[in-house]
Short mmCIF file of all heavy atoms in Angstrom, two decimals:
data_model
loop_
_atom_site.label_atom_id
_atom_site.label_comp_id
_atom_site.label_asym_id
_atom_site.label_seq_id
_atom_site.Cartn_x
_atom_site.Cartn_y
_atom_site.Cartn_z
N HIS A 218 -1.43 -8.31 -6.10
CA HIS A 218 -1.09 -6.94 -6.48
C HIS A 218 0.25 -6.63 -5.84
O HIS A 218 0.49 -6.96 -4.68
CB HIS A 218 -2.14 -5.93 -6.01
CG HIS A 218 -1.98 -4.59 -6.65
ND1 HIS A 218 -2.66 -4.22 -7.80
CD2 HIS A 218 -1.20 -3.53 -6.32
CE1 HIS A 218 -2.30 -3.00 -8.14
NE2 HIS A 218 -1.41 -2.55 -7.25
N VAL A 219 1.13 -5.99 -6.60
CA VAL A 219 2.49 -5.70 -6.14
C VAL A 219 2.69 -4.19 -6.03
O VAL A 219 2.46 -3.46 -6.99
CB VAL A 219 3.54 -6.30 -7.10
CG1 VAL A 219 4.96 -5.92 -6.65
CG2 VAL A 219 3.40 -7.82 -7.18
N MET A 220 3.10 -3.75 -4.85
CA MET A 220 3.49 -2.36 -4.64
C MET A 220 5.01 -2.30 -4.63
O MET A 220 5.67 -3.07 -3.90
CB MET A 220 2.93 -1.83 -3.31
CG MET A 220 1.41 -1.83 -3.23
SD MET A 220 0.79 -1.28 -1.60
CE MET A 220 1.04 0.51 -1.73
N LEU A 221 5.58 -1.41 -5.44
CA LEU A 221 7.03 -1.25 -5.54
C LEU A 221 7.41 0.15 -5.10
O LEU A 221 6.90 1.13 -5.65
CB LEU A 221 7.49 -1.47 -6.98
CG LEU A 221 7.20 -2.83 -7.61
CD1 LEU A 221 7.61 -2.82 -9.09
CD2 LEU A 221 7.94 -3.95 -6.88
N CYS A 222 8.29 0.26 -4.12
CA CYS A 222 8.71 1.57 -3.65
C CYS A 222 10.19 1.51 -3.31
O CYS A 222 10.62 0.66 -2.52
CB CYS A 222 7.90 1.96 -2.41
SG CYS A 222 8.18 3.66 -1.86
N GLY A 223 10.97 2.41 -3.91
CA GLY A 223 12.39 2.42 -3.58
C GLY A 223 13.26 2.89 -4.73
O GLY A 223 12.86 3.71 -5.55
N ASN A 224 14.44 2.32 -4.77
CA ASN A 224 15.42 2.67 -5.78
C ASN A 224 14.81 2.56 -7.18
O ASN A 224 14.24 1.51 -7.52
CB ASN A 224 16.62 1.73 -5.64
CG ASN A 224 17.70 2.01 -6.66
OD1 ASN A 224 17.56 1.66 -7.82
ND2 ASN A 224 18.77 2.63 -6.22
N PRO A 225 14.92 3.61 -8.00
CA PRO A 225 14.28 3.58 -9.32
C PRO A 225 14.71 2.42 -10.19
O PRO A 225 13.90 1.90 -10.97
CB PRO A 225 14.70 4.92 -9.93
CG PRO A 225 14.96 5.81 -8.76
CD PRO A 225 15.52 4.92 -7.71
N LEU A 226 15.96 1.98 -10.06
CA LEU A 226 16.43 0.85 -10.86
C LEU A 226 15.72 -0.44 -10.43
O LEU A 226 15.32 -1.24 -11.27
CB LEU A 226 17.95 0.70 -10.72
CG LEU A 226 18.58 -0.41 -11.58
CD1 LEU A 226 18.31 -0.15 -13.07
CD2 LEU A 226 20.09 -0.50 -11.32
N MET A 227 15.57 -0.63 -9.11
CA MET A 227 14.83 -1.80 -8.62
C MET A 227 13.41 -1.77 -9.13
O MET A 227 12.88 -2.79 -9.61
CB MET A 227 14.84 -1.84 -7.09
CG MET A 227 14.09 -3.03 -6.47
SD MET A 227 12.26 -2.92 -6.41
CE MET A 227 12.04 -1.65 -5.15
N VAL A 228 12.76 -0.61 -9.02
CA VAL A 228 11.37 -0.48 -9.45
C VAL A 228 11.24 -0.81 -10.94
O VAL A 228 10.36 -1.58 -11.34
CB VAL A 228 10.85 0.94 -9.15
CG1 VAL A 228 9.47 1.15 -9.78
CG2 VAL A 228 10.78 1.18 -7.64
N LYS A 229 12.13 -0.25 -11.74
CA LYS A 229 12.09 -0.46 -13.19
C LYS A 229 12.32 -1.93 -13.55
O LYS A 229 11.57 -2.52 -14.33
CB LYS A 229 13.14 0.41 -13.87
CG LYS A 229 13.18 0.29 -15.38
CD LYS A 229 14.24 1.20 -15.98
CE LYS A 229 14.31 1.05 -17.50
NZ LYS A 229 15.37 1.93 -18.07
N GLU A 230 13.35 -2.54 -12.97
CA GLU A 230 13.69 -3.92 -13.30
C GLU A 230 12.61 -4.89 -12.83
O GLU A 230 12.28 -5.86 -13.52
CB GLU A 230 15.04 -4.29 -12.68
CG GLU A 230 16.23 -3.60 -13.33
CD GLU A 230 17.55 -4.01 -12.69
OE1 GLU A 230 17.53 -4.81 -11.73
OE2 GLU A 230 18.60 -3.54 -13.16
N THR A 231 12.09 -4.64 -11.63
CA THR A 231 11.07 -5.53 -11.09
C THR A 231 9.78 -5.43 -11.89
O THR A 231 9.12 -6.44 -12.18
CB THR A 231 10.82 -5.22 -9.61
OG1 THR A 231 12.06 -5.30 -8.90
CG2 THR A 231 9.84 -6.21 -9.00
N TYR A 232 9.41 -4.21 -12.24
CA TYR A 232 8.22 -4.03 -13.08
C TYR A 232 8.37 -4.77 -14.41
O TYR A 232 7.46 -5.48 -14.85
CB TYR A 232 7.95 -2.55 -13.34
CG TYR A 232 6.93 -2.33 -14.44
CD1 TYR A 232 5.57 -2.56 -14.20
CD2 TYR A 232 7.32 -1.98 -15.72
CE1 TYR A 232 4.63 -2.42 -15.21
CE2 TYR A 232 6.39 -1.83 -16.74
CZ TYR A 232 5.05 -2.06 -16.48
OH TYR A 232 4.13 -1.93 -17.49
N PHE A 233 9.52 -4.60 -15.04
CA PHE A 233 9.76 -5.24 -16.35
C PHE A 233 9.66 -6.76 -16.22
O PHE A 233 9.02 -7.42 -17.06
CB PHE A 233 11.14 -4.85 -16.88
CG PHE A 233 11.44 -5.39 -18.25
CD1 PHE A 233 10.92 -4.78 -19.38
CD2 PHE A 233 12.23 -6.52 -18.40
CE1 PHE A 233 11.19 -5.30 -20.66
CE2 PHE A 233 12.49 -7.05 -19.66
CZ PHE A 233 11.97 -6.43 -20.79
N LEU A 234 10.24 -7.31 -15.17
CA LEU A 234 10.21 -8.77 -14.98
C LEU A 234 8.77 -9.25 -14.78
O LEU A 234 8.34 -10.22 -15.40
CB LEU A 234 11.08 -9.14 -13.78
CG LEU A 234 11.27 -10.63 -13.47
CD1 LEU A 234 12.63 -10.86 -12.84
CD2 LEU A 234 10.19 -11.17 -12.54
N LEU A 235 8.03 -8.58 -13.91
CA LEU A 235 6.65 -8.98 -13.63
C LEU A 235 5.76 -8.82 -14.87
O LEU A 235 4.85 -9.61 -15.11
CB LEU A 235 6.08 -8.19 -12.46
CG LEU A 235 6.73 -8.46 -11.10
CD1 LEU A 235 6.18 -7.47 -10.06
CD2 LEU A 235 6.47 -9.90 -10.65
N ASN A 236 6.03 -7.78 -15.63
CA ASN A 236 5.26 -7.52 -16.84
C ASN A 236 5.54 -8.56 -17.91
O ASN A 236 4.61 -9.10 -18.53
CB ASN A 236 5.57 -6.11 -17.36
CG ASN A 236 4.83 -5.78 -18.64
OD1 ASN A 236 5.41 -5.72 -19.70
ND2 ASN A 236 3.53 -5.57 -18.53
N GLN A 237 6.81 -8.87 -18.12
CA GLN A 237 7.20 -9.77 -19.21
C GLN A 237 6.98 -11.24 -18.85
O GLN A 237 6.60 -12.03 -19.72
CB GLN A 237 8.67 -9.54 -19.56
CG GLN A 237 8.96 -8.16 -20.12
CD GLN A 237 8.24 -7.89 -21.42
OE1 GLN A 237 8.34 -8.67 -22.36
NE2 GLN A 237 7.51 -6.79 -21.49
N GLU A 238 7.24 -11.61 -17.60
CA GLU A 238 7.21 -13.02 -17.23
C GLU A 238 5.95 -13.45 -16.48
O GLU A 238 5.65 -14.64 -16.40
CB GLU A 238 8.46 -13.37 -16.40
CG GLU A 238 9.76 -13.15 -17.17
CD GLU A 238 10.97 -13.68 -16.42
OE1 GLU A 238 10.79 -14.35 -15.38
OE2 GLU A 238 12.10 -13.42 -16.89
N ARG A 239 5.22 -12.47 -15.92
CA ARG A 239 4.02 -12.84 -15.15
C ARG A 239 2.74 -12.20 -15.72
O ARG A 239 1.68 -12.33 -15.12
CB ARG A 239 4.17 -12.39 -13.68
CG ARG A 239 5.48 -12.83 -13.01
CD ARG A 239 5.57 -14.32 -12.78
NE ARG A 239 6.82 -14.68 -12.13
CZ ARG A 239 6.99 -14.78 -10.82
NH1 ARG A 239 5.97 -14.57 -10.00
NH2 ARG A 239 8.16 -15.13 -10.32
N ASN A 240 2.87 -11.50 -16.84
CA ASN A 240 1.72 -10.86 -17.49
C ASN A 240 1.01 -9.87 -16.57
O ASN A 240 -0.22 -9.71 -16.64
CB ASN A 240 0.71 -11.91 -17.99
CG ASN A 240 1.30 -12.78 -19.07
OD1 ASN A 240 1.94 -12.30 -19.99
ND2 ASN A 240 1.10 -14.09 -18.95
N MET A 241 1.76 -9.19 -15.71
CA MET A 241 1.20 -8.21 -14.80
C MET A 241 1.40 -6.81 -15.38
O MET A 241 2.44 -6.51 -15.97
CB MET A 241 1.85 -8.33 -13.42
CG MET A 241 1.64 -9.71 -12.80
SD MET A 241 2.43 -9.93 -11.18
CE MET A 241 1.23 -9.11 -10.11
N THR A 242 0.40 -5.95 -15.23
CA THR A 242 0.42 -4.63 -15.86
C THR A 242 0.39 -3.52 -14.81
O THR A 242 0.00 -3.72 -13.66
CB THR A 242 -0.79 -4.46 -16.79
OG1 THR A 242 -1.99 -4.64 -16.02
CG2 THR A 242 -0.75 -5.47 -17.92
N LYS A 243 0.80 -2.34 -15.23
CA LYS A 243 0.79 -1.18 -14.36
C LYS A 243 -0.64 -0.79 -14.01
O LYS A 243 -1.52 -0.75 -14.88
CB LYS A 243 1.50 0.00 -15.03
CG LYS A 243 1.62 1.24 -14.16
CD LYS A 243 2.40 2.33 -14.89
CE LYS A 243 2.54 3.57 -14.01
NZ LYS A 243 3.29 4.65 -14.70
N HIS A 244 -0.87 -0.50 -12.74
CA HIS A 244 -2.21 -0.12 -12.30
C HIS A 244 -2.42 1.37 -12.51
O HIS A 244 -1.60 2.20 -12.09
CB HIS A 244 -2.39 -0.46 -10.82
CG HIS A 244 -3.72 -0.07 -10.27
ND1 HIS A 244 -4.90 -0.63 -10.70
CD2 HIS A 244 -4.06 0.86 -9.33
CE1 HIS A 244 -5.91 -0.08 -10.05
NE2 HIS A 244 -5.44 0.82 -9.22
N LEU A 245 -3.52 1.71 -13.16
CA LEU A 245 -3.89 3.11 -13.40
C LEU A 245 -5.31 3.33 -12.91
O LEU A 245 -6.11 2.39 -12.85
CB LEU A 245 -3.81 3.44 -14.89
CG LEU A 245 -2.44 3.23 -15.56
CD1 LEU A 245 -2.59 3.38 -17.07
CD2 LEU A 245 -1.40 4.20 -15.02
N ARG A 246 -5.64 4.56 -12.57
CA ARG A 246 -6.99 4.85 -12.11
C ARG A 246 -8.04 4.51 -13.17
O ARG A 246 -9.12 4.04 -12.86
CB ARG A 246 -7.10 6.34 -11.73
CG ARG A 246 -6.52 6.65 -10.36
CD ARG A 246 -6.72 8.09 -10.01
NE ARG A 246 -6.67 8.29 -8.56
CZ ARG A 246 -6.84 9.47 -7.98
NH1 ARG A 246 -7.07 10.55 -8.72
NH2 ARG A 246 -6.81 9.58 -6.66
N LYS A 247 -7.70 4.75 -14.42
CA LYS A 247 -8.66 4.51 -15.50
C LYS A 247 -8.58 3.09 -16.06
O LYS A 247 -9.41 2.69 -16.86
CB LYS A 247 -8.47 5.53 -16.61
CG LYS A 247 -7.09 5.53 -17.24
CD LYS A 247 -6.95 6.66 -18.24
CE LYS A 247 -5.53 6.71 -18.81
NZ LYS A 247 -5.36 7.85 -19.75
N ARG A 248 -7.54 2.35 -15.65
CA ARG A 248 -7.40 0.97 -16.11
C ARG A 248 -6.72 0.14 -15.02
O ARG A 248 -5.54 0.33 -14.74
CB ARG A 248 -6.58 0.90 -17.41
CG ARG A 248 -6.58 -0.48 -18.04
CD ARG A 248 -5.72 -0.55 -19.30
NE ARG A 248 -4.29 -0.51 -18.98
CZ ARG A 248 -3.48 0.46 -19.38
NH1 ARG A 248 -3.94 1.48 -20.10
NH2 ARG A 248 -2.20 0.43 -19.06
N LYS A 249 -7.48 -0.75 -14.43
CA LYS A 249 -6.94 -1.54 -13.34
C LYS A 249 -5.80 -2.44 -13.81
O LYS A 249 -5.85 -3.01 -14.89
CB LYS A 249 -8.03 -2.41 -12.70
CG LYS A 249 -9.01 -1.62 -11.85
CD LYS A 249 -9.96 -2.54 -11.11
CE LYS A 249 -10.88 -1.76 -10.20
NZ LYS A 249 -11.81 -2.65 -9.44
#
Side-chain angles (χ1 to χ4, degrees):
H218 193 94
V219 177
M220 298 177 77
L221 300 174
C222 188
N224 180 284
L226 183 60
M227 180 282 289
V228 172
K229 180 179 178 181
E230 290 181 358
T231 304
Y232 167 75
F233 183 79
L234 185 149
L235 293 172
N236 178 252
Q237 296 297 308
E238 298 189 8
R239 309 291 180 92
N240 295 315
M241 300 178 80
T242 58
K243 184 177 180 180
H244 178 65
L245 302 171
R246 280 183 158 181
K247 59 186 177 182
R248 188 182 73 242
K249 286 187 177 181

